[in-house]
Amino acid sequence: MTSQTQEHAPATPAAHRAVLRVDGLSVEYAGEVRACVDVSFTLRRGEILGVAGESGSGKSTLITALTRLQRPPAVTTAGRILYHGRDGGPPVDLVTLDDKALRDLRWTSLSIVLQSAMDALNPVLRLGAQFADALRAHDRRMSKKEAWQRAAELLAMVGISADRVRGYPHQLSGGMRQRAAIALALACRPDLVVMDEPTTAVDVVMQRQILSQVLRLRDELGFAVVFVTHDLSLLLEVADRIAIMYAGRIVEIGTARALYTGPKHPYTQGLRDSFPPLHAPLRPLSGIPGSPPDLRRPPPGCAFHPRCPERFDGCDRILPELVPAAGHEVACLLYPAGGDR
Amino acid sequence: MSEPVLEARDVAKHFPVGRRGVVRAVEDATLALLPGRIVALVGESGSGKTTLARVLARFYPPTSGEVLLHGRAGTGRRGYHSDVQLIFQDPFGSLNPLHRVRYNLERALRLHHRTRDRRELERQVLDLLERVSLSPAGDFVDKFPHELSGGQRQRVVIARALAVRPKVLLGDEPISMLDVSIRLDMLNLLARLRDEDGLALLYITHDIASARYLCDDIVVMYAGRMIEGGPKEDVIARPRHPYTKLLIESSPDPGRGEDDRAALFDGADELGEPPSLVNPPAGCRFHPRCPFAMPECEQSPPPRTDLGGGHWAHCWLHQKGRAGDLASTTHAAAPALRAAGPADAPGAADDCGDGKEEGP
C-alpha cells in the first residue's frame, strides 16, 4: 500500500509541486460496504485530474472524503490525504484535521463545485451576498462594499454581467447558475477545486462554454482540479491525467492521451469503446457485458473479472495491485509488477 | 421507398402559461418514420423533442397540423397504441413496482392481443425476455423491478413495448439514465429490432455521437423548430445550419486532434443560450446567437433549402449564397472574424444548394 506512494510521484522534479497526495484511502459505509478501497494518487499544482467511473464505482464517495463532506454512515477507515500549502510548509492531513483548521482551509485552499448549482447556491440570498459571505469570512478586513465589488468581478470572470450580482439564483438559467457556482468556488483563490459532475445537468453547448472557462481560468489562476464524471469522452478532452475507478478502486491512471491511445486495463478499454466516435469511421461496438458489481458482495480477486473478456486463471483469486506499465499505472494481472509489456 | 408508418405534418404544440402567455414548444414539425429505418431527433433541453414525441404518441393532441398513422388520421386510441409505443427515459419510473416482470408483460399481451391461454401467455412472456437479451428468461420473469439493474429494467420496458407488436417505437432518451458501459448494448438491441423486425424507430437524444452510431437520418431541433435534417453522415460531416455546427463542435470527441481542439475551445466562452419559448425571437430563432446573422434573419423564418441527397436546412445563408461562410469557420473563431470586419464572402455564391462539392 505505502510502497506505491513514491511511484505515484511524477518522474520529473514536480514532486514538491504536488498540491494533494492521497495515500491508501479507504472509505466504508457502516462497515458493510467498502466504497473506496486503497485509493492513492498525486495531484500536481495546476493539473486537472479526471476521475471516471460508473455508478457505484466510488467516485462520489472519494469526493466527499477528499473534501471532508462525508456524513455517517460513511467513515474513512484508512489512509491519508496530504494537502501541500502554497507556503511550502509541511503538508497537513485532511483526514485528521480538526474542524477549526479545516474551516480555515475551506474556500481559501480547497473548494467544491457540485453537480446541481441549485443545491449549492442559497435560493433566498442575492448572489452578491453569497459571495460576500465567503469572502468576508476569510478576510475580516474586507468591507461589505469591497466584497460586493469583488463579487461582480468574479461573476464577470465567468461571463455573467455585473448587474446580476443583485439577482437571485432562480433568475439565472441553469448554465449561468453553474458558472456562478464556479466563480463562487474560486472566490478566495483556492489552489484545489473539486468538481463533481459539474456539467452533467447542462446541455452540450453550455458544457463546452463552462469547460472552456474552467480551462482558461486554470491557466490564469493556476488552481488544480479533481474532475469527477461518468463521461470519459469528456475527460479525455479536458483532463491532463485520468484515473479510472471500478468497484471502489483505481484500476488505471495515466495521461489522457495515453488512456485514449493505449488503455491497458480491459475495463478502461471497454469504457473507452463505450463511446461511439463523432467523426471517426463507425464500427460495431459492444460496450461491456454484465453490470457493475454489488459492493456489499464484491467478487473475489479482481472485481472486474466476471465481466472481463480477458480473464484467466487467477483473476478470481488474486487482487491485482496498481503497478507501472508503459508510462501509466494499471491494476490488472495481465501486467505483472516490474514486467512492462 | 416504402410508405411512412407514422407521419407528422406541420405539427405545432402550444401550452398556455399564466393568463395570456403561450409556450410555443413545437412549430412546423414535419417528420416521417419509415419501416426499418431509425430517425434521430437531436437537440438540447427545451428544443421541443420530447413534446414532439408525446404528440406522436398521442399523449397530447397537436395544436395544429396532423399526425397520420398508415396515412390516416383519427385511428382509435387502443388501435393507435397497438402500433405506436413510447419508451421513456427513466426505467425506474416506468414499471409498476408492485408487480413482477411477468405481470408487467402479461398485461400488455392481454390488453392488446386478448391472449388468455396461460401456457400461451407464459411462452410469449419468456420469448419477449429472450428477445431483449434477458436470458435465461426464467431467471427474470418472477423478479420485481427493484431487483433488476437499470439496464435490465430498461430491457423489460422495451420488452413490454414489444409485447404490443408495434410498428413504431418512440424512444425518448432511452439510454441516458443507464450506465455508460451498458448503453451500447441497448443501442445494439434497438438496431436489431430495426433490422430483424422492420420497426420504424424515432430515437430522441441530446448525444449526437450515439445518434450517429444508431440512426439512419438525423433531424436537429432548436427552440421548437426543425432546422436541419438528412442522412446522418452528411449532417455530421457537413452541417448546413450554424446551430447544428455549434452542436457538433461542442460535443465531446476524443478523436479530435490537439490543434482542432484548441481552435474549437479557445474563445468558446460565450456561445449564448437558447431563447425563451414564451416570447421567441422573430425570424430565425437562432439569430440572436448566430455569428452569421443578417437583417433577413431577424425578420422572417428562413424557408427550407433542399441541399441534395435528402439533406435540407432552414437557414438564410443558403438563400443568400453565403453557405461558404459557414463551412470555413468555427463558432469559437466567428465572433472575432466578424469584429475584424464584415465578411466579404468571396466566391460563396457557388456553394449554395450543393451538398457534395466538398466531399472526400
Side-chain angles (χ1 to χ4, degrees):
Chain A
M1 186 193 290
T2 46
S3 69
Q4 288 175 7
T5 49
Q6 310 87 304
E7 291 157 13
H8 280 284
T12 41
H16 65 279
R17 287 177 48 234
V19 60
L20 197 69
R21 289 179 59 164
V22 178
D23 183 11
L25 185 71
S26 292
V27 181
E28 293 182 11
Y29 286 91
E32 280 178 20
V33 174
R34 298 179 77 196
C36 254
V37 193
D38 195 11
V39 169
S40 303
F41 63 85
T42 300
L43 180 68
R44 285 165 250 173
R45 290 196 175 275
E47 181 181 48
I48 299 183
L49 174 74
V51 177
E54 298 178 84
S55 50
S57 64
K59 55 191 197 308
S60 303
T61 303
L62 175 63
I63 279 207
T64 50
L66 286 184
T67 48
R68 279 282 298 275
L69 289 171
Q70 64 195 17
R71 291 189 195 147
V75 183
T76 300
T77 51
R80 298 180 299 170
I81 304 171
L82 298 179
Y83 168 77
H84 296 256
R86 256 162 297 197
D87 48 19
V92 291
D93 185 353
L94 297 182
V95 174
T96 53
L97 212 58
D98 65 61
D99 286 353
K100 162 82 177 66
L102 193 62
R103 259 200 314 277
D104 289 341
L105 279 186
R106 289 198 194 281
W107 298 93
T108 55
S109 301
L110 165 71
S111 65
I112 185 164
V113 176
L114 298 166
Q115 175 171 356
S116 162
M118 211 51 204
D119 299 339
L121 299 172
N122 187 331
V124 298
L125 284 185
R126 294 180 197 278
L127 282 176
Q130 308 192 37
F131 280 79
D133 264 357
L135 288 164
R136 296 182 73 215
H138 291 278
D139 181 359
R140 287 174 200 279
R141 284 161 310 174
M142 190 181 270
S143 72
K144 242 185 192 159
K145 197 171 162 219
E146 282 171 327
W148 277 71
Q149 208 157 16
R150 178 92 184 103
E153 287 167 26
L154 286 160
L155 286 175
M157 197 169 77
V158 293
I160 299 176
S161 70
D163 54 340
R164 295 284 194 167
V165 74
R166 298 199 57 76
Y168 290 95
H170 74 266
Q171 294 169 319
L172 302 179
S173 72
M176 294 243 263
R177 278 202 289 268
Q178 196 61 336
R179 286 148 82 170
I182 289 172
L184 184 58
L186 297 176
C188 300
R189 303 203 158 235
D191 35 19
L192 171 62
V193 184
V194 176
M195 299 189 175
D196 184 10
E197 306 256 9
T199 60
T200 303
V202 301
D203 283 310
V204 284
V205 178
M206 180 53 74
Q207 167 171 292
R208 183 56 72 198
Q209 294 176 57
I210 290 175
L211 295 178
S212 207
Q213 283 172 349
V214 168
L215 289 173
R216 177 173 57 75
L217 292 169
R218 189 267 308 251
D219 292 346
E220 285 170 22
L221 306 174
F223 54 86
V225 181
V226 177
F227 191 117
V228 174
T229 176
H230 66 280
D231 189 348
L232 179 62
S233 69
L234 187 69
L235 281 186
L236 288 167
E237 288 205 293
V238 299
D240 301 309
R241 283 191 309 144
I242 297 176
I244 306 286
M245 288 191 77
Y246 189 78
R249 291 175 186 269
I250 292 182
V251 296
E252 184 162 5
I253 183 167
T255 63
R257 174 142 290 275
L259 248 61
Y260 177 63
T261 55
K264 294 273 183 281
H265 198 287
Y267 177 64
T268 313
Q269 290 166 4
L271 200 59
R272 182 197 64 172
D273 293 338
S274 295
F275 293 91
L278 189 57
H279 292 292
L282 284 176
R283 60 190 168 93
L285 299 170
S286 59
I288 305 173
S291 37
D294 180 351
L295 289 180
R296 283 168 299 186
R297 287 181 296 276
C302 170
F304 186 59
H305 85 263
R307 300 173 76 188
C308 184
E310 300 190 48
R311 70 170 170 267
F312 54 89
D313 185 41
C315 288
D316 56 351
R317 284 178 286 113
I318 306 163
L319 181 69
E321 294 230 353
L322 204 55
V323 296
H328 46 296
E329 291 169 59
V330 58
C332 175
L333 294 184
L334 287 172
Y335 307 92
D340 272 18
R341 51 164 267 185
Chain B
M1 205 179 248
S2 48
E3 293 291 303
V5 200
L6 187 65
E7 256 186 292
R9 286 198 191 152
D10 300 319
V11 162
K13 180 69 196 170
H14 298 170
F15 296 99
V17 283
R19 214 175 281 164
R20 237 173 280 146
V22 168
V23 176
R24 296 164 188 280
V26 173
E27 291 200 281
D28 294 332
T30 295
L31 184 76
L33 299 177
L34 299 163
R37 276 186 91 77
I38 300 181
V39 175
L41 192 58
V42 174
E44 295 179 276
S45 43
S47 61
K49 49 194 198 310
T50 292
T51 303
L52 182 59
R54 293 185 168 199
V55 169
L56 287 173
R58 284 237 221 148
F59 276 30
Y60 348 102
T63 306
S64 65
E66 51 184 359
V67 175
L68 306 177
L69 179 64
H70 302 298
R72 288 191 308 275
T75 316
R77 195 177 171 80
R78 179 70 60 83
Y80 192 88
H81 287 126
S82 289
D83 279 349
V84 182
Q85 284 283 309
L86 180 65
I87 298 166
F88 294 96
Q89 178 174 8
D90 181 4
F92 300 84
S94 48
L95 287 174
N96 188 331
L98 298 177
H99 290 292
R100 296 176 198 276
V101 169
R102 181 196 308 274
Y103 176 89
N104 273 303
L105 296 180
E106 276 184 358
R107 195 170 145 76
L109 290 168
R110 283 175 198 271
L111 283 175
H112 285 273
H113 301 292
R114 314 213 167 267
T115 314
R116 290 282 184 274
D117 180 59
R118 280 210 158 275
R119 215 172 302 155
E120 179 60 20
L121 272 176
E122 178 78 6
R123 192 188 66 73
Q124 290 193 12
V125 165
L126 293 178
D127 191 45
L128 282 166
L129 290 174
E130 296 283 352
R131 269 178 81 195
V132 296
S133 309
L134 287 174
S135 57
D139 289 2
F140 292 96
V141 70
D142 284 317
K143 293 239 160 111
F144 284 101
H146 73 262
E147 295 175 294
L148 303 175
S149 70
Q152 291 167 345
R153 246 175 282 194
Q154 196 65 308
R155 283 168 199 277
V156 173
V157 171
I158 294 175
R160 185 179 57 185
L162 294 177
V164 174
R165 281 172 235 148
K167 305 281 191 305
V168 183
L169 267 188
L170 309 168
D172 186 4
E173 304 252 13
I175 62 164
S176 65
M177 302 229 343
L178 304 180
D179 259 322
V180 171
S181 67
I182 49 186
R183 287 181 184 176
L184 276 170
D185 257 5
M186 205 62 64
L187 294 184
N188 289 337
L189 169 63
L190 294 175
R192 215 176 68 217
L193 296 174
R194 164 192 61 189
D195 298 337
E196 292 174 6
D197 302 338
L199 278 177
L201 258 131
L202 182 69
Y203 173 62
I204 295 180
T205 184
H206 60 271
D207 175 10
I208 296 202
S210 77
R212 176 173 180 244
Y213 180 77
L214 177 66
C215 74
D216 302 294
D217 300 298
I218 287 187
V219 173
V220 184
M221 288 191 79
Y222 178 75
R225 283 181 187 276
M226 292 180 169
I227 51 136
E228 179 167 4
K232 62 177 173 187
E233 297 293 356
D234 281 359
V235 173
I236 289 173
R238 285 176 296 278
R240 296 311 199 90
H241 190 287
Y243 175 69
T244 313
K245 191 173 165 78
L246 176 62
L247 205 55
I248 291 168
E249 286 177 0
S250 300
S251 297
D253 179 15
R256 276 185 190 116
E258 302 279 329
D259 294 346
D260 288 357
R261 197 164 295 156
L264 291 182
F265 305 154
D266 296 352
D269 267 27
E270 280 313 322
L271 301 169
E273 290 193 65
S276 150
L277 295 180
V278 178
N279 205 350
C284 171
R285 288 183 176 179
F286 188 61
H287 86 256
R289 297 171 75 183
C290 184
F292 309 100
M294 301 175 278
E296 291 81 356
C297 306
E298 297 168 28
Q299 283 147 17
S300 42
R304 174 174 156 136
T305 310
D306 278 304
L307 301 156
H311 193 171
W312 51 269
H314 285 275
C315 177
W316 280 110
L317 288 175
H318 300 290
Q319 300 287 324
K320 300 287 168 189
R322 285 185 57 197
D325 292 18
L326 183 59
S328 62
T329 186
T330 65
H331 273 271
L337 284 181
R338 193 164 55 151
D344 40 5
D350 57 317
D351 214 359
C352 183
D354 182 358
K356 296 295 174 213
E357 82 286 356
E358 63 215 67

